[in-house]
Amino acid sequence: MYRTGDLAQHHPDGLLHFHGRTDNQVKIRGYRIETAEIETLLAQHPHITQATVIAREDHPGNKQLTAYTVPTNQPPDHTTLTRHLARHLPDYMIPTTFVTLDRLPLTPNGKIDYHALPAPPTTAGTGRPPRTPHEQILATLFAEILNIPTISIDDNFFELGGHSLLATRLISRTRALLGVRLSIRSMLKSPTVESLARLIQGGEENRSNGLEPVLSLRSNGSRPPLFCIHPGGGMAWCYAGLLRHVPKDHPVYGLQAQGLDGETPLPTDMDEVVEDYVARIRAIQPQGPYHLLGWSFGGKVAYALAARLQQEGEKVAMLTVIDTGFGRSAEADGLRGPRDLLDIAFDGIGAFQDEPGDGPLEMSRIVEILKAGGSALGSLDERTVEMLIHITENNLKIGDMEVPARFDGDVLFFAAEGPDGGPTGLAEVWKPFVSGQVESYDLAFKHSKMMSADALAVMGPVLARSLKERS
């Protein structure tokens, strides 16, 4: 009989119960691998004295090869060992993780104690944080696919345990969210968040800095796009999280404030904002039906845009307003000093209030706080950060609409919780100015957290259904 190397027990009921292998052969993603062959090649490296290889499954469904090595006084790095093995082994036999030990743990009988081998350390997320919307999206996908809490833009997908199967999942998710087609080859050439974002955006020379008037979050899709208008801070980066929920056949664009370049004059009233934004929208989509969405100050602009487009004879199929009223804003009413303005400008990061004193902060310190808080805006230079503060203050003034124009249609409205944790009834103020229904949802999140992943998980399915019904 053929000896398979499998260890099994024959039970009286006629079933065979599998108990593992009688040798060191493992099976990963359909391949049978002799770990001894990998160990022999590792031990042949001039700076490795001992080595052992095992298959680990630290996360369910993600079995991978892990190599443990005892080096000389010149320990080789991950890349060096990978290249050494790649000269003799196929890709599927190259360990995804290398762990350096002072010595291999042994049993009382002098054999390797495999149960005492430590889990590979998690080193992801210790480098630079995402700096652009696309890097933010990819970092989220890397962490999701690899089951790792945080990812920096310098982390290598394959060095963190990624393999061809997980890369295929990442490619699929990237296509669904961003509408771009990647290949395993492109993943191998660009395995970090930074390099993959650069590849998606067409190379270093075409790389977006995220400050353009229209931020293209997803440019592909056969259905009408969703236009998302920036909140008071002027940046539309916060809408990147919507891509997880907006159906992939809808392109998604973020409209950003005038003046981010530091040269364009800031608008003086809402009419000037609307004139500019209607032109931007029509340059992408000359005719309706239009789909508009806005949070906070962006909700006021989205409403004004919808009314203007209707006046020009266009159809607005969907208008989504996220936690905003009209007249003097709640944010403006709550302003007590320059620190409060910073909270609004930078999406409620909150840490500014913890700084000593109550006066203005230096721009350099503001950037440091943004970086320490993991904000993608921490990648901006001091000049741009200062401009964002001026834009926020200007938008608060512009947002003091007394009476909005009438909108002929329905409004999808999401309301944040009030200061006491209860509903605010904010949707009610819009009903006299809307001919159709105001479909309102109360969320258990503060205003500043309405673009968080948890809040979007609640809003996303509702938004997706509304897009499907109105497209």
Side-chain angles (χ1 to χ4, degrees):
M1 294 178 64
Y2 173 71
R3 184 176 181 84
T4 65
D6 296 319
L7 181 63
Q9 187 178 26
H10 191 197
H11 281 232
D13 59 6
L15 294 178
L16 284 173
H17 289 241
F18 179 65
H19 293 289
R21 298 286 301 175
T22 60
D23 53 22
N24 290 331
Q25 187 184 88
V26 296
K27 188 176 182 180
I28 296 181
R29 300 184 295 281
Y31 294 104
R32 290 191 178 272
I33 299 170
E34 293 286 354
T35 58
E37 187 176 352
I38 308 171
E39 293 167 353
T40 299
L41 286 170
L42 282 172
Q44 290 175 359
H45 190 280
H47 298 298
I48 296 295
T49 59
Q50 288 181 292
T52 190
V53 177
I54 63 172
R56 296 189 65 99
E57 192 170 356
D58 294 304
H59 303 295
N62 183 18
K63 183 183 290 187
Q64 59 186 30
L65 289 174
T66 300
Y68 296 85
T69 62
V70 178
T72 64
N73 56 0
Q74 293 179 298
D77 59 19
H78 181 121
T79 303
T80 300
L81 291 177
T82 297
R83 289 173 178 171
H84 171 71
L85 294 175
R87 298 189 188 101
H88 309 282
L89 298 175
D91 290 344
Y92 66 85
M93 290 186 69
I94 297 176
T96 54
T97 308
F98 292 84
V99 179
T100 300
L101 300 175
D102 293 332
R103 60 182 179 82
L104 296 179
L106 302 177
T107 66
N109 295 328
K111 296 182 179 180
I112 295 175
D113 187 353
Y114 294 103
H115 296 290
L117 291 169
T122 301
T123 58
T126 58
R128 295 176 295 165
R131 305 162 299 177
T132 69
H134 284 97
E135 287 183 350
Q136 201 165 33
I137 294 165
L138 288 171
T140 300
L141 290 179
F142 272 42
E144 175 188 310
I145 299 296
L146 295 169
N147 197 20
I148 292 174
T150 58
I151 295 288
S152 83
I153 64 171
D154 306 300
D155 288 321
N156 186 302
F157 181 80
F158 297 101
E159 291 184 4
L160 292 176
H163 48 67
S164 57
L165 179 59
L166 292 180
T168 301
R169 293 180 191 171
L170 179 65
I171 290 168
S172 175
R173 296 286 288 128
T174 303
R175 180 181 178 185
L177 291 183
L178 298 177
V180 295
R181 294 176 180 270
L182 298 174
S183 64
I184 293 291
R185 183 179 180 183
S186 62
M187 281 291 305
L188 291 169
K189 292 179 64 177
S190 306
T192 67
V193 167
E194 180 184 37
S195 60
L196 198 57
R198 188 184 306 126
L199 176 68
I200 288 173
Q201 293 174 271
E204 185 68 39
E205 66 279 4
N206 296 321
R207 184 178 173 183
S208 160
N209 63 4
L211 301 178
E212 55 269 27
V214 178
L215 183 65
S216 178
L217 293 171
R218 182 199 291 155
S219 58
N220 296 335
S222 58
R223 293 185 177 276
L226 175 64
F227 293 97
C228 304
I229 294 83
H230 63 85
M235 304 281 283
W237 294 16
C238 57
Y239 297 117
L242 281 173
L243 295 182
R244 183 185 296 267
H245 307 284
V246 174
K248 64 181 180 180
D249 47 2
H250 288 275
V252 180
Y253 297 97
L255 271 63
Q256 305 200 113
Q258 299 177 40
L260 286 175
D261 57 4
E263 300 175 1
T264 306
L266 300 184
T268 57
D269 55 32
M270 183 62 75
D271 286 340
E272 190 176 337
V273 173
V274 170
E275 288 288 343
D276 179 27
Y277 291 10
V278 164
R280 297 188 204 178
I281 290 172
R282 284 190 178 277
I284 296 171
Q285 184 188 356
Q287 295 179 322
Y290 292 104
H291 297 83
L292 306 173
L293 176 148
W295 167 43
S296 194
F297 172 77
K300 299 178 181 183
V301 181
Y303 184 94
L305 283 170
R308 175 67 62 85
L309 286 167
Q310 280 190 342
Q311 292 171 5
E312 296 179 0
E314 295 293 349
K315 179 182 178 181
V316 177
M318 189 183 79
L319 171 59
T320 302
V321 177
I322 301 176
D323 202 49
T324 191
F326 59 87
R328 186 163 175 81
S329 66
E331 297 97 320
D333 286 336
L335 284 179
R336 299 182 300 277
R339 306 289 178 85
D340 303 286
L341 186 62
L342 295 178
D343 286 342
I344 297 172
F346 303 113
D347 299 340
I349 196 169
F352 305 106
Q353 301 291 354
D354 298 331
E355 291 294 292
D358 57 4
L361 298 177
E362 295 290 335
M363 288 301 141
S364 58
R365 181 56 187 153
I366 294 173
V367 173
E368 288 176 0
I369 292 173
L370 291 172
K371 290 179 178 178
S375 172
L377 300 180
S379 65
L380 301 175
D381 57 39
E382 293 181 18
R383 178 172 174 269
T384 304
V385 168
E386 185 175 16
M387 200 65 228
L388 284 176
I389 297 171
H390 293 319
I391 287 171
T392 302
E393 191 170 23
N394 190 62
N395 285 339
L396 287 175
K397 296 175 182 177
I398 290 175
D400 292 347
M401 297 191 307
E402 293 302 325
V403 179
R406 185 170 180 80
F407 174 67
D408 185 18
D410 299 331
V411 173
L412 178 61
F413 194 93
F414 295 100
E417 66 182 16
D420 59 354
T424 60
L426 194 57
E428 296 296 319
V429 304
W430 292 98
K431 289 185 177 180
F433 305 96
V434 176
S435 68
Q437 299 293 317
V438 178
E439 183 183 350
S440 179
Y441 295 86
D442 292 317
L443 275 66
F445 297 93
K446 298 295 184 184
H447 176 84
S448 62
K449 300 300 181 184
M450 291 296 276
M451 284 299 116
S452 66
D454 290 338
L456 290 176
V458 178
M459 290 188 284
V462 180
L463 181 64
R465 185 184 71 242
S466 183
L467 277 169
K468 184 176 181 180
E469 291 172 351
R470 290 168 169 79
S471 297

